[in-house]
Amino acid sequence: MRRSKETFKFTSEMGARLRELRLKAGVTQQELAVLMGRQGKGNAFLISRFENGHVPYPSFGFVADYLRACKASFTDIADLLNAYTSQPTVIEQRGYRRVQSLARKLSASVAKAVENYDHRVTRAKSKPEPVRTRLKHARAYATAQEAQRRLNRLIEEELSVAGVKPASLEAAWTRVYARKLYRLLSHSKDEHKLKPKLEELERWAVEIGIGSLPVLATLRDHICALTDQQP
């Protein structure tokens, strides 16, 4: 089976720990090879390479025999092994890198939102998502965030053009109206189901006293154009 570069490798740090255990046991590399039952000429050299981290994929049995010969146990290297096993899975790491690659192409604010979303969703999953699925969700979230920011800019620009004070009650309700309208138009493409919801929204605007504001008609036109551009 072909090994991935992201899978376990025996590091020089682990080799150094085992060397310490050998020295603590008071045996040379040649003596250790004999204690391990490996008496060939090249075994002392193999142990030297092993201790220097130059044997990236030693067998489990080789490590066990080394520890046994030093009268040590896996407990003596448990912290190093746990540091590896506590890392995210290979699939999670790959997904993270793909999302990071996506984030680098986005604006700073959207990138941060996407990274937070990805972290939150990944942490909530009991099993890692396939990389493509995770990236698909991140892209969809990025698209939604970018659209939301375009909407917010549009609202503020139109309020400014209309001369509505940003801190006024009319401005606050207009923002609510615009976001409600955007959600309706974005989430429902069925005109028969959409029509009564839009009528209800217009009645709500009248009831709270913003139905006659000219800026609402302008926002309706712009928001319709904005949602028409969405896939």
Side-chain angles (χ1 to χ4, degrees):
M1 183 173 64
R2 185 178 178 182
R3 280 195 178 94
S4 165
K5 293 180 180 179
E6 300 131 313
T7 56
F8 177 81
K9 286 184 179 180
F10 196 86
T11 65
S12 57
E13 183 182 10
M14 294 177 181
R17 175 70 62 82
L18 291 177
R19 186 188 304 111
E20 290 175 6
L21 294 173
R22 176 177 62 79
L23 294 175
K24 183 179 179 181
V27 294
T28 66
Q29 291 174 342
Q30 186 63 55
E31 289 170 337
L32 186 73
V34 173
L35 290 171
M36 290 174 65
R38 298 170 181 264
Q39 300 179 35
K41 290 183 178 180
N43 282 297
F45 177 67
L46 174 62
I47 289 172
S48 175
R49 285 175 48 78
F50 176 62
E51 291 180 348
N52 286 299
H54 296 155
V55 182
Y57 305 113
S59 70
F60 179 84
F62 185 89
V63 177
D65 286 341
Y66 187 107
L67 291 168
R68 180 185 180 191
C70 294
K71 298 191 181 302
S73 71
F74 281 100
T75 302
D76 294 296
I77 60 170
D79 57 323
L80 300 179
L81 296 175
N82 290 340
Y84 173 81
T85 58
S86 64
Q87 295 176 21
T89 65
V90 170
I91 293 300
E92 288 173 314
Q93 290 179 333
R94 289 177 182 173
Y96 174 76
R97 287 197 297 272
R98 294 292 296 276
V99 171
Q100 286 292 299
S101 178
L102 169 66
R104 285 193 290 271
K105 302 173 184 176
L106 305 172
S107 65
S109 58
V110 174
K112 185 65 176 176
V114 168
E115 289 170 354
N116 289 339
Y117 163 81
D118 180 68
H119 178 70
R120 185 170 65 252
V121 170
T122 301
R123 190 170 53 183
K125 297 283 184 181
S126 58
K127 293 182 179 179
E129 285 185 315
V131 175
R132 288 185 180 180
T133 302
R134 183 173 172 181
L135 186 60
K136 179 182 176 181
H137 291 164
R139 280 177 175 155
Y141 187 80
T143 299
Q145 286 293 305
E146 288 173 336
Q148 186 64 53
R149 281 160 173 74
R150 286 197 299 272
L151 175 65
N152 291 342
R153 287 194 297 270
L154 171 64
I155 294 169
E156 298 309 318
E157 287 169 3
E158 293 304 324
L159 286 172
S160 177
V161 170
V164 179
K165 294 180 179 179
S168 66
L169 188 59
E170 289 86 354
W173 283 125
T174 300
R175 293 184 187 101
V176 174
Y177 169 89
R179 287 166 187 148
K180 284 177 177 287
L181 177 61
Y182 177 80
R183 282 195 295 272
L184 287 175
L185 295 176
S186 297
H187 297 158
S188 178
K189 301 300 180 182
D190 188 328
E191 292 186 7
H192 295 292
K193 293 181 179 180
L194 184 59
K195 185 177 179 181
K197 293 179 180 179
L198 292 174
E199 291 173 347
E200 182 182 351
L201 177 60
E202 295 306 319
R203 287 195 297 271
W204 173 81
V206 171
E207 288 173 2
I208 61 171
I210 63 169
S212 60
L213 290 179
V215 70
L216 259 63
T218 307
L219 281 171
R220 277 195 294 270
D221 291 339
H222 285 307
I223 291 172
C224 285
L226 185 63
T227 55
D228 285 343
Q229 296 171 7
Q230 296 178 354

